[in-house]
Amino acid sequence: MTTTSTPLADEIAARLTAALRPTALDVINDSHHHAGHSGDDGTGESHWTVVVESAAFVGLNRVARQRLVNTALADLLATRIHALAMKTHAPGEA
């Protein structure tokens, strides 16, 4: 598992790990690409990408998978995360 090392990245990783027991997880801070744009709160932790591989996604469509991620991060999405891109895979999917 690869994670950008910041307090919020650690929190995102911990929540996704607890909720989804991923076999692979990348938490990537994209905030530097959005500095000065709408939604940039100046913390350097506003825009994220997560790449998650989990058996919890087996048999689920893209929207259902995204809902699981959104549920795990719900209060962070409401307060600290402005934008979240996600790539979700079941084990064995490319």
Side-chain angles (χ1 to χ4, degrees):
M1 292 186 204
T2 303
T3 301
T4 301
S5 184
T6 70
L8 186 53
D10 294 344
E11 182 68 20
I12 292 167
R15 289 178 184 220
L16 292 177
T17 298
L20 303 173
R21 295 187 315 259
T23 51
L25 174 63
D26 291 323
V27 179
I28 303 155
N29 186 343
D30 297 321
S31 300
H32 63 284
H33 295 296
H34 304 277
H37 298 172
S38 176
D40 174 25
D41 63 4
T43 65
E45 294 190 314
S46 57
H47 294 71
W48 297 89
T49 296
V50 294
V51 182
V52 186
E53 178 183 277
S54 172
F57 297 145
V58 172
L60 298 180
N61 66 26
R62 180 181 54 84
V63 173
R65 293 172 181 195
Q66 290 177 348
R67 285 183 180 140
L68 289 176
V69 172
N70 287 339
T71 297
L73 302 178
D75 65 313
L76 296 177
L77 288 165
T79 59
R80 297 179 62 195
I81 298 172
H82 174 73
L84 178 68
M86 60 184 92
K87 297 176 185 173
T88 57
H89 309 223
E93 292 179 349

